Amino acid sequence: MPYADVVCATTHKVLRGPRGGMILCGAELAERVDRAVFPFTQGGAQMHTIAAKAVAFGEAATPAFGAYAHQVVANARVLAGHLAAEGLGVITGGTDTHMIIVDPAPLGVDGRTARGRLAAAGIVLDCCVLPHGDGRGLRLGTAAVTTQGMGEAEMVRIAALMAAALRGEAEPAVTRAEVRELTGGFPPYPE
């Protein structure tokens, strides 16, 4: 691997496969990594999960997956930019990956309260520790919505819906209906 000695990733977010993880390394570290992982931290083999990971790796080797991965990052960049424009603090100033960490404090709300307001509005996400002070922020990713077919226009709408919910500009039920309408146009399992 030309850029790193060891790469760790999830198989469920990065590859759209089954829940799990992976550690990639070159031959010179393989024995040491194997010894560190098995048998102490790795659970029993689940053959259906191993087969699903093989399918996910096969899909990841296609040009279509490359286009999807680029769209995930493009969506994350647009979402981060519009969240910042709405007044949330984007911790890294943007993103080069699928993930965004935002600080809702500039809108006058802490992370846990923000998570609650967003959940009431139909937007479910998680809190995380911020790298400065004792504050908690919000952790967002764009892989799932991109898989459902959402693009950059939808990221703009998501940022606006989030900001309105956090500012208390709309009743949670109204925002929840807008979220339902948006997601209804992108069913996870189209017929």
Side-chain angles (χ1 to χ4, degrees):
M1 297 187 306
Y3 303 107
D5 293 325
V6 178
V7 174
C8 299
T10 61
T11 53
H12 52 289
K13 289 182 278 187
V14 175
L15 295 182
R16 296 192 295 187
R19 187 160 189 79
M22 61 183 163
I23 302 172
L24 306 173
C25 65
E28 65 281 356
L29 293 176
E31 185 179 334
R32 290 175 65 191
V33 169
D34 287 347
R35 222 175 324 122
V37 172
F38 185 80
F40 303 110
T41 58
Q42 179 179 337
Q46 298 174 333
M47 297 314 290
H48 63 291
T49 304
I50 292 170
K53 286 178 184 177
V55 170
F57 277 112
E59 180 183 308
T62 66
F65 187 86
Y68 154 78
H70 286 287
Q71 189 61 54
V72 168
V73 175
N75 283 351
R77 287 180 176 158
V78 169
L79 182 58
H82 283 273
L83 289 170
E86 292 283 358
L88 286 99
V90 177
I91 297 305
T92 59
T95 186
D96 292 326
T97 69
H98 67 285
M99 191 168 38
I100 307 159
I101 306 294
V102 297
D103 183 358
L107 298 183
V109 62
D110 65 84
R112 287 193 173 107
T113 301
R115 179 180 63 183
R117 286 185 187 177
L118 291 168
I123 301 170
V124 180
L125 44 76
D126 200 10
C127 281
C128 63
V129 176
L130 294 175
H132 50 78
D134 296 329
R136 299 196 55 85
L138 303 172
R139 181 177 183 263
L140 299 95
T142 55
V145 293
T146 305
T147 296
Q148 287 179 241
M150 291 189 194
E152 295 162 36
E154 289 76 27
M155 299 307 107
V156 174
R157 187 161 178 211
I158 290 169
L161 289 168
M162 287 179 64
L166 293 175
R167 287 190 191 107
E169 296 173 349
E171 288 296 318
V174 172
T175 305
R176 194 169 41 253
E178 289 184 53
V179 168
R180 191 174 295 117
E181 183 265 326
L182 172 63
T183 58
F186 299 92
Y189 304 106
E191 303 207 18

